[in-house]
Amino acid sequence: MKTVYTCFCTDIIHDGHLNIIKQARKYGRVIVGALSDAALIRYNKFPTLSFEERKKLYETLDGVEQVVIQDSVMYDDVMEKLHPDYVVHGDNWKEGPESAIRDNVLKCIETYGGELIEVKYTYSPVVKKIDSQLKEKLAMPEYRRKRLRQLLQIRPIVKAIEVHSGITGLIAEKTVIEHYGELDQFDAMWISSLCDSTVKGKPDIELVDMTSRFRTIDDVTEVTTKPIIFDGDTGGMTEHFVYTVRTLERMGVSAIIIEDKTGLKKNSLFGTEVTQTQDSIENFSAKISAGKMAQLTDDFMIIARIESLILERGMEDAFKRAYAFVKAGADGIMIHSRKEDPGEILEFCDIFRRDNRDTPLVVVPSSFNTITEEELAEHGVNLVIYANQLTRSAFPAMQKTAEDILRYHRAKEVDDRLMPIKQIITLIDEL
Ligand code: SPV
Ligand code: MG
């Protein structure tokens, strides 16, 4: 009897999947691949059922003889093991980054003479509704909030990109590329105080109030599902910070990062060019502990950001603070630097990791931008934040357009570098 292989990456079975099995059965005994959690999240999906639950769900389906784990979105390993006579897949993967998976399947089956069968994808209103319900579920606070902790368990390094609006949120949510035969995307979003202030035309000095910052989060959460890390600046007064923690938690934010500065906060990338005051270890530890006491779920994370290297107080001071803040309850440590050379960051991470293997380490490589995510992961970094690149890419593009329209007294000369009108009016999906 011939074997037919198909891979599922869903928590809910709908008519589309049943149709795939029905078609597959015509060719032989059906083996379903269940994508592992780690593979699933590479695929712009996030599990709401455990792997075991998904496996059981697929096993109950009529016509499925066996369910096996597929550890990667690419089929090489599973094809090598099973050598199925046929691979069955919906025909909705010919365009976009998913076409890399299709190419991979074609390459695999060619090596032993298998065949790819593409079944017309079912786009019924019910299937569409189930797909969007699954997405909506991921956007709910209780799912979104815990997702950062889950990602830190699954991913070798979690990567977050700065967002400050619905549109930048959509970029973080939907940008997927194919890279060296793998799909890649951002795992999380960073609501930067610098960028949230800059887009409002304000300096980054804790001037944009919390209500406004929450409004930005709301704009982002309305159109996305990925977890949010909030730049909480100094956290403000401890008496206020506890309320901020509660609000963020309720909104489904996964983490707040607060920096150990006090008084008028200036952006860290100014370093010692401006006056900035570091908080005492005692005060800042008390703030962390108060925040931890205030939070209601186990999902939410309070990450302590150490400014000792920024303020040139030395490595010893940074360590003293790191150990004290972890003791005070911090769920992670962010170490910051404005040097172009990542040396001091790596030194901190290496030494910190010698006797602390678990506390997540966070870095923001805006200045030390030559280092790769892989190198950072080798030094024990768990979360990398690209803190301002979307804003910094948009601003010069917009400014150049404005200058050129002034220069030519018309918009024709700038049009070639703009998104076509057809594309902008259809960019945002309607319900
Ligand atoms: C931000 O993005 O607002 C940050 C990171 O706090 S940095 O600008 O590098 O200080
Ligand atoms: Mg900031």
Side-chain angles (χ1 to χ4, degrees):
M1 182 120 181
K2 304 260 190 195
T3 52
V4 192
Y5 182 77
T6 188
C7 180
F8 281 2
C9 55
T10 183
D11 288 357
I12 301 177
I13 297 295
H14 55 51
D15 281 354
H17 305 109
L18 297 179
N19 185 42
I20 297 249
I21 295 173
K22 192 170 136 204
Q23 302 299 325
R25 280 180 82 174
K26 293 181 185 163
Y27 295 90
R29 53 183 285 272
V30 178
I31 304 175
V32 170
L35 263 196
S36 65
D37 286 353
L40 200 66
I41 63 177
R42 294 291 77 208
Y43 200 60
N44 224 353
K45 304 253 166 109
F46 200 85
T48 58
L49 298 178
S50 70
F51 175 78
E52 283 311 319
E53 287 168 323
R54 288 201 300 282
K55 185 163 179 273
K56 272 204 197 103
L57 174 68
Y58 305 162
E59 279 165 354
T60 57
L61 298 175
D62 222 19
V64 172
E65 296 229 354
Q66 193 189 350
V67 178
V68 297
I69 185 167
Q70 183 173 327
D71 268 322
S72 158
V73 287
M74 295 302 170
Y75 281 53
D76 304 73
D77 290 346
V78 83
M79 291 292 100
E80 172 111 29
K81 253 186 235 140
L82 299 176
H83 275 190
D85 299 287
Y86 300 97
V87 173
V88 175
H89 198 282
D91 62 358
N92 54 328
W93 64 345
K94 292 184 180 165
E95 307 279 314
E98 271 187 72
S99 63
I101 308 178
R102 182 174 185 267
D103 293 344
N104 169 260
V105 169
L106 287 170
K107 187 193 86 195
C108 292
I109 52 182
E110 199 186 273
T111 60
Y112 64 87
E115 196 182 322
L116 173 63
I117 311 281
E118 288 172 310
V119 175
K120 194 160 169 40
Y121 189 76
T122 318
Y123 273 121
S124 74
V126 178
V127 165
K128 260 186 148 170
K129 177 137 196 227
I130 291 174
D131 277 348
S132 56
Q133 277 174 335
L134 195 56
K135 234 184 132 222
E136 273 310 307
K137 192 172 163 186
L138 290 173
M140 290 296 158
E142 62 274 28
Y143 283 98
R144 194 197 294 259
R145 193 170 47 228
K146 65 182 174 195
R147 195 161 149 178
L148 182 64
R149 282 199 191 268
Q150 290 174 312
L151 280 162
L152 287 165
Q153 293 298 322
I154 307 172
R155 296 282 299 137
I157 188 162
V158 173
K159 39 187 165 192
I161 184 139
E162 172 262 317
V163 304
H164 54 260
S165 58
I167 188 91
T168 48
L170 284 176
I171 289 175
E173 180 80 11
K174 294 193 172 179
T175 307
V176 182
I177 63 140
E178 189 255 324
H179 182 63
Y180 292 124
E182 285 291 336
L183 298 185
D184 207 0
Q185 64 181 299
F186 291 100
D187 302 297
M189 298 176 285
W190 165 246
I191 310 268
S192 150
S193 68
L194 171 64
C195 299
D196 204 3
S197 306
T198 303
V199 293
K200 292 177 173 68
K202 299 270 170 70
D204 180 19
I205 52 170
E206 294 186 283
L207 175 63
V208 177
D209 65 50
M210 272 300 161
T211 308
S212 170
R213 306 276 328 269
F214 295 154
R215 179 74 225 151
T216 303
I217 297 176
D218 209 34
D219 288 344
V220 171
T221 53
E222 274 211 55
V223 294
T224 62
T225 64
K226 290 186 179 179
I228 293 174
I229 304 154
F230 182 74
D231 177 356
D233 289 320
T234 65
M237 289 162 65
T238 301
E239 292 82 348
H240 294 177
F241 178 57
V242 289
Y243 284 90
T244 305
V245 166
R246 282 275 176 93
T247 306
L248 292 174
E249 211 185 357
R250 199 173 55 243
M251 293 179 93
V253 170
S254 302
I256 184 169
I257 301 189
I258 51 170
E259 59 197 90
D260 59 353
K261 287 203 299 237
T262 190
L264 181 64
K265 190 221 76 151
K266 301 266 175 72
N267 186 276
S268 300
L269 302 175
F270 282 120
T272 51
E273 290 159 28
V274 294
T275 310
Q276 309 210 49
T277 320
Q278 205 171 15
D279 203 354
S280 73
I281 294 185
E282 279 142 29
N283 279 348
F284 200 68
S285 298
K287 196 183 282 185
I288 295 166
S289 301
K292 289 308 291 176
M293 284 295 286
Q295 75 180 66
L296 294 176
T297 67
D298 292 332
D299 305 331
F300 190 73
M301 299 173 77
I302 296 178
I303 298 173
R305 162 171 167 177
I306 296 169
E307 294 284 293
S308 306
L309 305 180
I310 291 282
L311 300 174
E312 296 175 11
R313 298 275 157 76
M315 200 55 87
E316 272 309 305
D317 186 69
F319 285 120
K320 223 162 75 194
R321 286 169 178 272
Y323 299 130
F325 299 159
V326 170
K327 205 159 153 219
D331 300 292
I333 293 291
M334 174 184 151
I335 183 69
H336 206 16
S337 162
R338 65 177 195 132
K339 297 215 165 118
E340 282 180 22
D341 180 346
E344 63 177 11
I345 285 287
L346 299 183
E347 183 185 344
F348 178 91
C349 295
D350 290 343
I351 299 175
F352 182 78
R353 275 282 171 260
R354 273 189 216 149
D355 39 38
N356 183 322
R357 303 226 51 83
D358 302 324
T359 305
L361 274 175
V362 183
V363 300
V364 176
S366 302
S367 306
F368 47 100
N369 57 15
T370 53
I371 191 146
T372 63
E373 293 153 10
E374 291 75 12
E375 287 166 310
L376 288 168
E378 276 169 26
H379 291 269
V381 173
N382 306 88
L383 170 59
V384 57
I385 299 176
Y386 297 97
N388 47 43
Q389 285 77 6
L390 291 189
T391 299
R392 284 168 57 208
S393 56
F395 187 84
M398 291 194 285
Q399 194 170 41
K400 173 106 183 55
T401 299
E403 283 167 4
D404 282 352
I405 292 174
L406 284 176
R407 186 165 295 123
Y408 296 107
H409 293 209
R410 62 180 193 180
K412 183 184 178 303
E413 284 72 15
V414 302
D415 213 67
D416 277 355
R417 56 177 193 261
L418 306 184
M419 174 182 263
I421 286 177
K422 183 83 200 288
Q423 209 177 334
I424 183 84
I425 60 177
T426 54
L427 185 68
I428 311 291
D429 296 332
E430 288 183 31
L431 279 186

